[in-house]
Amino acid sequence: MQNDIRKEILKDLKRVVIKIGSSIISNRDGGRAGLTIGLNADHVRRLAGTIRRIVDRNCEVVLVSSGAIMAGRERLGLSKAHLTIPEKQACAAIGQSYLMHTYEKKFEKEGLKVAQILLGHDDLENRGRFLNAKHTLETLLEHGVIPIINENDSVTVDEIKIGDNDTLSATVACLVDAQLLVILSDVDGLYSRDPSKKSGKKQDAPKLIGHIDHVTDEIEKLAGKSKSSVTVGGMYTKVLAAKQTMSFGIPTLVVNGLDNKASDKIFSGESVGTLFWAGKEKIKTRKHWIAHTLKPSGQITVDSGAKKAIVERGKSLLPAGVVSVEGQFAFGNAVRVLDEKGTEIARGLINYNARDLEQIKGMKTAAVRNLFDQNFYEEVIHRDDLVVL
Ligand code: GLU
């Protein structure tokens, strides 16, 4: 039954976000051997092979990779347990470029192009910047590039940070409308009991939970807090990340990536790790959020052709179909879409501010392209950001 669910998820998988924990690409035994833990290029090379195989299945891949601070620590020779914030930021700055350099070299050998995107809390909280990031990611994917995302650690201080890449990867999965988030870390998944705590009784032996369809308070408690010295999040942030993606209709799979075969096992539908998945019925949550949570900042009226395209054919709204514009909205705001009788037919997130839209309403796409050049969007509201009421 659980395997069937996994196979179902994998069957039409076209876009996956994979979170790479620092421990997956570190020289894992460095700590034990008394060395500073650092980046291991061989692990990155192996990862490149795995991603190649996923891409060959006709599936787009977005990576969220940790490891900047770990790599920078090693390069600066900072082995002490606790770093100050400026030290962490310096490590992130030196480590991030080294990390990307390594990714670029190893992925190139597999014929894969990579691109770096560093995101901060602000980029994700602000809807306009959120959409901007989304457009950049979409464009990279269209060109067959593997985006590699990390938090912009070198300029953000702890108080305003996202803080861990589990949370970041969940947000990215929602941002790109992925069909699956895979979190590769050094934990096997969620256990029925903390596996690091010994118990004499056999019946108390911790069991790996293969499938979770609802993140209850009890599950959150089970996840506990982080234990590893290299990773930031531990199981707790993974469970919260899964909760986030599930509410957007995206399954999350937490798997131990220290097993070199883990990814191949995942993609052959083997039952590894813990799958968090409540089923497809929640898929409309994001649209629910657009339609019911956001307060519209303005409204636009569309002609009958555009109405038909939106309502009957599930298309995006283009400038040519816009008849009039009301209100002071900015890029990324929610707006009401009305037909010519004044009935609200849809709501969506707008790609142009009110002033620009006033200028381009009714215009053909080619003319808008000439006018806006770099800030050009083909759609006034993309269909993914549009909810027909
Ligand atoms: N952004 C951090 C880094 O690259 C890691 C955060 C995490 O592992 O959750 O070093």
Side-chain angles (χ1 to χ4, degrees):
M1 163 69 177
Q2 285 176 14
N3 275 15
D4 289 352
I5 296 175
R6 289 179 187 237
K7 292 213 168 95
E8 185 68 22
I9 292 171
L10 293 170
K11 203 172 77 191
D12 295 315
L13 193 66
K14 290 280 170 273
R15 185 173 287 183
V16 62
V17 172
I18 304 178
K19 186 252 171 172
I20 313 294
S22 301
S23 52
I24 306 302
I25 46 174
S26 70
N27 53 355
R28 293 148 200 178
D29 297 328
R32 233 176 293 147
L35 304 167
T36 311
I37 296 176
L39 185 65
N40 183 316
D42 278 341
H43 295 325
V44 179
R45 178 183 52 75
R46 227 188 323 268
L47 182 65
T50 303
I51 304 301
R52 176 79 254 176
R53 288 193 287 283
I54 301 172
V55 169
D56 287 345
R57 295 171 49 114
N58 223 354
C59 177
E60 293 169 329
V61 180
V62 176
L63 293 184
V64 173
S65 178
S66 303
I69 297 177
M70 176 250 316
R73 240 175 192 277
E74 182 200 35
R75 289 186 79 79
L76 290 176
L78 287 174
S79 56
K80 61 179 179 174
H82 294 289
L83 301 178
T84 62
I85 290 176
E87 277 172 345
K88 273 193 208 160
Q89 292 179 317
C91 285
I94 185 167
Q96 182 62 32
S97 62
Y98 182 50
L99 184 66
M100 284 311 298
H101 172 70
T102 310
Y103 268 114
E104 201 158 83
K105 259 191 343 205
K106 301 299 174 193
F107 275 53
E108 197 169 28
K109 290 215 168 87
E110 294 288 346
L112 298 169
K113 290 196 188 80
V114 299
Q116 167 186 278
I117 298 196
L118 299 179
L119 293 173
H121 195 255
D122 280 357
D123 301 309
L124 303 170
E125 278 292 297
N126 173 302
R127 195 68 200 169
R129 287 165 75 167
F130 184 90
L131 285 179
N132 238 332
K134 180 176 167 73
H135 290 302
T136 307
L137 283 162
E138 292 291 348
T139 308
L140 288 169
L141 290 170
E142 254 167 48
H143 285 81
V145 176
I146 312 279
I148 303 183
I149 300 169
N150 197 358
E151 185 164 9
N152 199 354
D153 293 311
S154 52
V155 292
T156 14
V157 287
D158 276 8
E159 299 78 68
I160 53 161
K161 280 192 76 154
I162 302 165
D164 69 88
N165 277 0
D166 296 324
T167 308
L168 177 63
S169 65
T171 308
V172 167
C174 301
L175 181 73
V176 299
D177 281 323
Q179 289 154 312
L180 175 66
L181 167 64
V182 175
I183 298 185
L184 292 180
S185 83
D186 56 0
V187 293
D188 296 332
L190 188 68
Y191 277 95
S192 56
R193 207 172 56 70
D194 187 345
S196 66
K197 288 198 189 114
K198 296 260 177 301
S199 156
K201 295 183 204 130
K202 202 165 167 218
Q203 67 269 31
D204 285 350
K207 288 186 198 65
L208 183 70
I209 307 175
H211 188 115
I212 290 173
D213 60 10
H214 184 51
V215 177
T216 56
D217 290 352
E218 199 189 325
I219 299 282
E220 280 183 33
K221 263 195 225 123
L222 256 184
K225 297 274 155 148
S226 174
K227 307 244 164 13
S228 161
S229 58
V230 184
T231 55
V232 176
M235 199 56 210
Y236 184 63
T237 50
K238 290 171 186 49
V239 166
L240 295 189
K243 196 173 167 184
Q244 184 183 338
T245 64
M246 277 161 96
S247 72
F248 278 81
I250 301 168
T252 288
L253 185 56
V254 178
V255 172
N256 194 332
L258 295 183
D259 169 2
N260 292 331
K261 298 244 159 37
S263 304
D264 293 324
K265 287 183 190 163
I266 296 170
F267 287 92
S268 61
E270 263 184 62
S271 184
V272 281
T274 302
L275 176 69
F276 295 80
W277 180 223
K280 276 185 186 158
E281 66 273 14
K282 291 208 169 171
I283 227 138
K284 295 191 185 83
T285 311
R286 193 181 109 81
K287 298 226 167 176
H288 186 275
W289 176 74
I290 293 173
H292 305 289
T293 312
L294 293 180
K295 241 172 103 192
S297 317
Q299 56 191 44
I300 56 185
T301 302
V302 300
D303 64 20
S304 57
K307 177 179 173 180
K308 214 168 167 184
I310 292 170
V311 177
E312 289 170 26
R313 294 193 282 131
K315 296 280 184 197
S316 300
L317 175 63
L318 304 181
V322 179
V323 176
S324 69
V325 179
E326 266 176 71
Q328 286 306 314
F329 47 83
F331 171 81
N333 284 168
V335 295
R336 289 195 177 90
V337 181
L338 312 181
D339 66 10
E340 284 175 299
K341 289 190 200 125
T343 309
E344 184 174 7
I345 53 166
R347 279 191 198 184
L349 304 178
I350 197 104
N351 279 340
Y352 288 91
N353 64 36
R355 214 189 43 227
D356 291 345
L357 189 57
E358 183 62 49
Q359 198 184 348
I360 61 170
K361 68 179 187 205
M363 275 168 72
K364 288 260 167 0
T365 302
V368 179
R369 187 192 304 260
N370 281 340
L371 203 63
F372 281 94
D373 193 21
Q374 289 189 1
N375 293 327
F376 165 74
Y377 291 107
E378 196 161 319
E379 308 87 8
V380 168
I381 303 176
H382 191 277
R383 69 168 192 279
D384 291 348
D385 301 322
L386 188 71
V387 189
V388 175
L389 301 172

